[in-house]
Amino acid sequence: MKKTLAIALLALAAAPSLAMAGDDDGRNRWGIDAPRDQWMSLADVTAKMEAAGYTIREIEIDDGIYEVEGRDANGARIEADVHPVTGEILRRDR
C-alpha cells in the first residue's frame, strides 16, 4: 500500500506538468471533457482498481483520462484507460 501511495503521490506531483492533449473540440477519443475539479483523485482511482483485484504500478494522465499500468488478479500485465470522473475502465489490454 505504501508503494502504491508513493506512486500516486509522484504522479500527482507531476500532474501539473503533464499536457492533456485532445481533439480540436476539447474532447478525447472517448468523448470525455470533464473539468479537472470533477476528477477522482489518484488515491481514489488506485483504491478502486485495487478493490477490483488490480495491483497498480503507474498512473499517468494522457488525453484527458487516466492511463493505468499494473497487474490483474492473475498476475498478468495490464494497461487500462480509466474514466477520470467515474473510475470506469474504458479499455483494458493485457
Side-chain angles (χ1 to χ4, degrees), residues 55-68:
T55 302
I56 306 306
R57 188 176 74 87
E58 181 179 13
I59 300 177
E60 296 179 350
I61 298 170
D62 187 29
D63 201 20
I65 58 169
Y66 287 120
E67 289 186 353
V68 178

Side-chain angles (χ1 to χ4, degrees), residues 6-73:
I7 292 169
L9 291 174
L10 285 172
L12 183 59
S17 64
L18 297 174
M20 294 191 347
D23 296 332
D24 291 338
D25 65 359
R27 295 181 183 273
N28 53 36
R29 67 182 171 140
W30 301 106
I32 299 168
D33 187 22
R36 182 70 186 198
D37 63 350
Q38 294 178 7
W39 285 30
M40 294 177 70
S41 70
L42 290 170
D44 289 342
V45 171
T46 300
K48 185 169 184 168
M49 296 289 290
E50 287 178 343
Y54 296 96
T55 302
I56 306 306
R57 188 176 74 87
E58 181 179 13
I59 300 177
E60 296 179 350
I61 298 170
D62 187 29
D63 201 20
I65 58 169
Y66 287 120
E67 289 186 353
V68 178
E69 292 182 16
R71 298 199 175 267
D72 66 14

